[in-house]
Amino acid sequence: MEETSREAVATAVQRVAGMLQRPDQLDKVEQYRRREARKKASVEARLKAAIQSQLDGVRTGLSQLHNALNDVKAIQHSLVDVNKDWRQSINTIENLKDVKDAVVQHSQLAAAVENLKNIFSVPEIVQETQDLIEQGQLLQAHRKLMDLECSRDDLMYEQYRMDSKNTHDMNLIDSYFGDMQKLSEELAKQLWMVIQRSLVTVRRDPTLLVSVVRIIEREEKIDRRMLDRKKQTGFIPPGRPKKWKEKMFNVLDRTVTTRIEGTQADTRESDKMWLVRHLEIIRKYVLDDLLVAKNLLDQCFPPHYEIFKKLLGMYHQALSIRMQDLASENLEANEIVSLLTWVLNTYKSAEMMGNPQLAPEVDVNSLQPLLSQEIVDDLLSTYMSTLTSNIIGWLRKALETDKKDWLEANEPEADQDGYYQTTLPAIVFQMFEQNLQVATQINEDLKIKVLHLCLQQMSSFLSRYKEEAHSYKEEHLRNRQDHPCYVQYMVAIINNCQTFKESIISLKKKYLTPVMEEIMTSSHASIDAVLDDVAKEGCSSLLDEVFMDLEPHLSELMTKKWLGGSNAVGTICVTVEDYFNDFAKIKKPYKKKMTVECHRRVVVEYIKAIMSKRIIFKTPEERRQGAERMKREAEQFRFLFKKLAAGSGEDTEGLCGVIEAIAEVFKLTDPSLLYLEVSTLVSKHPDIRDDHIAALLTMRGDASREMKQTIIETLDKGSSQPSPNYVPIFKDVTVSTLTVPKLLK
């Protein structure tokens, strides 16, 4: 108390100090005093009220405790009186045991009397029930069966109440009603037969199905009643609970499974399309059954049966098991595709579970997959492995077929634009297209994998194609008479390369998104490179063919015969033009490359003839004649290749200009100006070498050894740099190595 008082005083001091911090607050001391007095009075009043309330509560509690004590004493006196009365009546209760037995016996006799009519007529009722079952009157049969069961159950229950250990009498009653169990089983068979055919029965005779459902519902109610009585008394009649509702769903489940499995009409040996037919039959049957279940069957069952939902689950489970069984078989590639397409797409499509008529009861998004992802992955892996082998085999077979065509005496077919071609690109890309269309039916990921596989195998195939084209060329060179249409088929091979390019671009645009196209750019580039190599080698082979025919005429160039008026260049031009009539059936851009390369090779061969020193001009007249002839022949070449390159944009001036520039060196009459003419030639063609200049000066015939050496040494000191657009030509021209080394010694 003292500590509390000190705390109160300290608090009051702080409070007063807080109020009187300034001198002007002293005027309000009286006001503060009155306010604190009012607060104190208010607090004291609340304390008094609280204490009074507590006192009233204590007073009331004491009063209730006093009353409770009086009640307990009264009850104690009453229990003493009851105990006295109970002890006095024990003997009386023991004397009533005989009455109790009499009551039980009376109850049994009453039950027997009540069922007496049924007891004596059991054989007759059994026969009537059997007849009703055979006649299909199932409701009436079940009614009589329930009467028999009720009589038996009542008798057995009374016997159980009287003496539960008396099994002899219980067995006697059960054996007397023994035929009743056979009736129950026979009736159940009839019910299950109707349930098995419920989807047919509901369309022909829905009343029969409703009767069966009513019988099952009756039995369910009896089962529940008997189970409740068992909890109370411990007694349950033989054969209970029947659980006919559970058995009904089991029958439906077995029926659904049998229906799914029974749709396989063919095997792989009898029909290669067995799986497609099997899956289509399943699709049709399941859709028809579910539509019937939703529109008709659902109305014949109580709502709490949820018959459509249960059937949907049964069909889904049966389908899942069937698909797993099919997936475990050694399926071929086309069969794997059929199965996965059906499982992943058809099953949830509008053709089956996504059918608008099944909505909203069937939500395809909530359906579980028929096959696990692991099984799907295994099937896809098997499919890709098989497809890889098949594609390799198909490509090899297609190439072998194409090679046989190369040996034919007839020209290859031409497309609508007149370009030679073989059927190889069409066969290859038709095969790719078919497999990609199939993969698209399954999923996007498989489509990309198949396209990648096709491009990968295409790359390997083109390498073999290149080798076979090279072998074709080698065989032809060994005996040119064995391949009468060699040129035409080589043109077709070159055109096939362009067709392959276009087909690959078409496939990628059709089956890939722009993002995926960018990812596969590297593989596409490698294929293009191989195709360009095949086409380039094909063009080179054709030009080799041309120049083999030109070889006799090229050998006449720069000879006495040529100087005397040989028509070798005219023959060369006619031969080249004749070949290019066939080459005109080469597709762009290879046709342009072919023309450019042929032009270059003709000029190179012409320059080689000059550098071979087959002729040495001995007089100014010979040099003039030779130079003029070279200019005329350069013009012939220019005219020829301008004609062949019409519309291609090829520069036909530069290459032929080399011949004219060389002619100017020969035409020069003043040897003192020879250095200027040669330097002009070198400035235009910086790749010209010393041996080339020496050969030209030797062919001219009037340049001394000192002049040759002076010109070459002077030109070496002032060698010029080629322009960026300059195309070297002299690098392909070889010269005999005798001239320059001997000259410079």
Side-chain angles (χ1 to χ4, degrees):
M1 285 296 290
E2 292 178 358
E3 184 178 355
T4 303
S5 298
R6 284 196 299 272
E7 288 180 357
V9 170
T11 301
V13 170
Q14 289 179 358
R15 189 179 180 91
V16 171
M19 292 178 183
L20 303 175
Q21 291 182 354
R22 297 187 305 276
D24 59 329
Q25 290 179 327
L26 292 174
D27 297 337
K28 298 180 180 179
V29 169
E30 187 62 27
Q31 182 181 349
Y32 290 155
R33 188 184 65 75
R34 287 196 300 271
R35 185 176 67 187
E36 292 301 323
R38 286 196 300 272
K39 287 183 179 180
K40 179 181 178 184
S42 174
V43 169
E44 289 176 351
R46 288 200 301 272
L47 285 173
K48 289 180 180 179
I51 292 171
Q52 184 63 41
S53 175
Q54 291 291 331
L55 291 174
D56 292 343
V58 170
R59 188 181 295 109
T60 302
L62 290 173
S63 175
Q64 290 176 347
L65 287 173
H66 181 72
N67 294 335
L69 180 62
N70 292 334
D71 291 342
V72 168
K73 289 181 179 179
I75 291 170
Q76 185 178 11
H77 291 308
S78 298
L79 286 174
V80 171
D81 295 339
V82 168
N83 188 40
K84 290 180 180 179
D85 293 341
W86 175 73
R87 291 184 180 279
Q88 292 175 359
S89 62
I90 288 177
N91 296 331
T92 305
I93 292 173
E94 290 178 353
N95 294 333
L96 292 176
K97 184 176 183 303
D98 295 337
V99 177
K100 178 182 177 182
D101 294 339
V103 169
V104 172
Q105 187 175 9
H106 175 76
S107 177
Q108 288 180 332
L109 292 174
V113 171
E114 184 178 350
N115 294 284
L116 191 61
K117 181 179 179 181
N118 290 337
I119 292 173
F120 283 111
S121 60
V122 165
E124 181 182 350
I125 296 174
V126 167
Q127 186 58 47
E128 289 177 358
T129 306
Q130 182 67 42
D131 294 341
L132 289 172
I133 292 173
E134 292 175 356
Q135 294 169 11
Q137 299 181 23
L138 303 182
L139 276 176
Q140 293 86 336
H142 186 251
R143 173 57 64 186
K144 291 186 175 295
L145 179 62
M146 284 197 302
D147 291 342
L148 288 173
E149 288 180 341
C150 184
S151 299
R152 182 201 65 180
D153 295 348
D154 287 347
L155 289 173
M156 295 184 77
Y157 176 64
E158 293 301 333
Q159 177 60 37
Y160 180 84
R161 286 177 60 195
M162 184 177 70
D163 186 2
S164 61
K165 296 181 180 180
N166 187 354
T167 57
H168 178 270
D169 290 346
M170 297 285 278
N171 292 335
L172 181 64
I173 298 172
D174 188 31
S175 62
Y176 184 75
F177 288 89
D179 292 339
M180 186 183 65
Q181 183 63 29
K182 296 179 181 178
L183 285 178
S184 178
E185 294 173 356
E186 184 65 27
L187 178 61
K189 288 181 181 179
Q190 296 299 318
L191 298 182
W192 308 148
M193 288 176 62
V194 174
I195 292 297
Q196 287 174 355
R197 298 194 299 265
S198 57
L199 293 171
V200 177
T201 304
V202 75
R203 284 180 280 195
R204 296 179 180 176
D205 186 9
T207 305
L208 177 60
L209 183 60
V210 172
S211 298
V212 169
V213 176
R214 288 179 61 189
I215 291 171
I216 293 171
E217 272 294 277
R218 288 176 183 172
E219 290 295 336
E220 283 295 300
K221 290 180 180 178
I222 295 173
D223 278 350
R224 288 194 294 271
R225 189 169 67 247
M226 293 303 167
L227 289 172
D228 290 342
R229 187 166 69 178
K230 180 184 179 181
K231 292 178 182 178
Q232 297 174 358
T233 65
F235 171 76
I236 189 166
R240 291 288 176 185
K242 291 185 179 180
K243 299 182 179 180
W244 276 9
K245 180 180 177 181
E246 180 181 331
K247 291 179 181 178
M248 178 198 74
F249 282 117
N250 291 336
V251 170
L252 278 175
D253 193 26
R254 289 196 300 272
T255 303
V256 168
T257 302
T258 303
R259 185 164 175 77
I260 297 299
E261 293 176 348
T263 54
Q264 182 175 345
D266 302 300
T267 61
R268 184 183 296 119
E269 290 74 19
S270 62
D271 186 356
K272 290 189 176 298
M273 300 296 290
W274 69 276
L275 185 58
V276 174
R277 296 181 186 278
H278 181 38
L279 294 174
E280 177 58 20
I281 293 172
I282 289 177
R283 183 198 67 78
K284 187 176 183 304
Y285 280 13
V286 171
L287 179 60
D288 291 346
D289 291 354
L290 290 178
L291 288 174
V292 171
K294 178 188 175 185
N295 298 324
L296 299 176
L297 197 66
D298 202 36
Q299 302 174 13
C300 299
F301 286 80
H304 66 272
Y305 273 53
E306 296 183 324
I307 189 65
F308 179 75
K309 182 179 179 181
K310 294 285 180 60
L311 271 176
L312 178 63
M314 292 175 189
Y315 272 102
H316 182 81
Q317 182 64 22
L319 286 172
S320 180
I321 294 172
R322 183 56 184 159
M323 295 305 113
Q324 291 176 31
D325 291 342
L326 291 173
S328 65
E329 298 184 15
N330 294 324
L331 297 178
E332 297 177 356
N334 61 317
E335 294 170 349
I336 291 175
V337 168
S338 299
L339 181 64
L340 289 179
T341 301
W342 198 92
V343 168
L344 300 178
N345 299 320
T346 304
Y347 181 62
K348 293 186 178 182
S349 70
E351 297 178 353
M352 198 170 177
M353 292 303 187
N355 191 292
Q357 298 183 51
L358 293 177
E361 285 78 4
V362 178
D363 180 10
V364 294
N365 295 321
S366 64
L367 292 174
Q368 295 297 316
L370 291 176
L371 293 176
S372 67
Q373 190 59 45
E374 182 181 358
I375 295 176
V376 172
D377 291 342
D378 288 343
L379 288 173
L380 288 176
S381 177
T382 303
Y383 172 73
M384 289 300 295
S385 176
T386 306
L387 181 61
T388 302
S389 301
N390 289 344
I391 288 178
I392 293 172
W394 292 332
L395 290 174
R396 184 181 296 112
K397 185 176 180 181
L399 184 54
E400 291 297 327
T401 303
D402 206 54
K403 283 170 55 182
K404 291 179 182 177
D405 293 341
W406 298 350
L407 306 177
E408 295 292 330
N410 300 322
E411 292 184 356
E413 295 180 358
D415 63 11
Q416 58 186 4
D417 297 320
Y419 296 117
Y420 284 138
Q421 63 177 5
T422 67
T423 57
L424 182 63
I427 292 172
V428 169
F429 281 94
Q430 183 180 8
M431 175 187 65
F432 287 171
E433 181 83 20
Q434 288 174 352
N435 284 287
L436 284 167
Q437 288 177 354
V438 167
T440 302
Q441 295 174 6
I442 298 177
N443 58 38
E444 188 73 13
D445 184 53
L446 181 63
K447 179 188 73 175
I448 294 172
K449 286 182 179 178
V450 171
L451 180 56
H452 181 70
L453 172 64
C454 290
L455 293 178
Q456 188 179 33
Q457 293 304 320
M458 184 70 185
S459 182
S460 302
F461 165 74
L462 289 176
S463 298
R464 294 195 299 272
Y465 191 49
K466 179 181 178 181
E467 293 171 1
E468 295 297 341
H470 182 74
S471 299
Y472 180 46
K473 170 191 172 183
E474 295 296 325
E475 290 177 12
H476 174 69
L477 292 177
R478 283 194 288 270
N479 189 347
R480 297 177 68 190
Q481 305 303 319
D482 289 346
H483 306 91
C485 292
Y486 170 77
V487 172
Q488 291 82 356
Y489 275 103
M490 191 56 74
V491 169
I493 290 172
I494 296 169
N495 288 339
N496 285 349
C497 293
Q498 185 62 23
T499 304
F500 278 131
K501 281 187 176 183
E502 294 169 354
S503 300
I504 290 172
I505 292 172
S506 175
L507 277 184
K508 291 178 70 176
K509 284 185 177 179
K510 185 174 181 180
Y511 292 102
L512 288 182
T513 61
V515 175
M516 291 306 301
E517 277 195 71
E518 292 181 6
I519 294 174
M520 291 194 176
T521 300
S522 58
S523 62
H524 189 177
S526 64
I527 291 175
D528 280 355
V530 177
L531 286 170
D532 286 338
D533 287 345
V534 175
K536 183 178 179 180
E537 186 168 343
C539 291
S540 178
S541 301
L542 290 177
L543 290 178
D544 289 344
E545 185 76 5
V546 174
F547 281 89
M548 277 191 288
D549 286 348
L550 294 181
E551 187 174 356
H553 310 293
L554 290 170
S555 63
E556 287 186 18
L557 299 175
M558 305 303 144
T559 62
K560 291 289 185 180
K561 183 179 179 180
W562 168 78
L563 187 61
S566 169
N567 192 32
V569 170
T571 305
I572 290 171
C573 291
V574 170
T575 304
V576 170
E577 186 173 2
D578 182 57
Y579 268 104
F580 267 80
N581 286 333
D582 286 334
F583 298 165
K585 296 182 179 181
I586 298 177
K587 290 183 176 181
K588 298 178 181 179
Y590 300 124
K591 178 183 176 183
K592 178 181 177 181
K593 293 179 181 178
M594 187 83 165
T595 307
V596 171
E597 184 61 25
C598 184
H599 187 182
R600 178 182 177 80
R601 286 183 66 171
V602 167
V603 173
V604 167
E605 290 298 327
Y606 195 92
I607 297 174
K608 282 182 179 180
I610 296 173
M611 299 298 172
S612 64
K613 296 169 290 188
R614 297 171 186 167
I615 185 174
I616 297 176
F617 300 125
K618 296 179 179 179
T619 64
E621 181 61 24
E622 285 184 354
R623 285 191 288 275
R624 184 188 63 78
Q625 289 179 2
E628 290 178 354
R629 188 169 186 80
M630 290 171 66
K631 287 185 177 182
R632 288 196 303 271
E633 289 172 349
E635 189 60 34
Q636 283 181 272
F637 288 145
R638 183 180 287 112
F639 177 78
L640 169 65
F641 287 104
K642 190 173 183 179
K643 179 180 178 181
L644 296 180
S648 67
E650 180 199 349
D651 178 17
T652 59
E653 299 293 331
L655 293 174
C656 293
V658 179
I659 301 174
E660 293 176 334
I662 293 173
E664 290 295 332
V665 174
F666 294 148
K667 187 178 180 182
L668 186 67
T669 57
D670 186 357
S672 63
L673 299 176
L674 193 56
Y675 170 75
L676 293 176
E677 197 63 46
V678 172
S679 63
T680 301
L681 176 64
V682 172
S683 65
K684 292 181 179 179
H685 305 284
D687 64 323
I688 194 168
R689 301 191 301 272
D690 294 349
D691 53 352
H692 296 139
I693 297 172
L696 290 177
L697 295 176
T698 300
M699 186 174 174
R700 181 178 165 83
D702 63 347
S704 64
R705 181 178 300 220
E706 291 76 12
M707 182 182 292
K708 293 177 186 177
Q709 186 171 357
T710 301
I711 292 173
I712 292 173
E713 289 177 352
T714 306
L715 289 173
D716 284 343
K717 293 178 181 177
S719 58
S720 59
Q721 294 296 325
S723 66
N725 298 326
Y726 176 71
V727 179
I729 189 169
F730 284 93
K731 68 182 182 67
D732 297 327
V733 178
T734 57
V735 182
S736 174
T737 58
L738 296 176
T739 306
V740 175
K742 288 184 177 181
L743 179 63
L744 296 177
K745 281 183 179 179

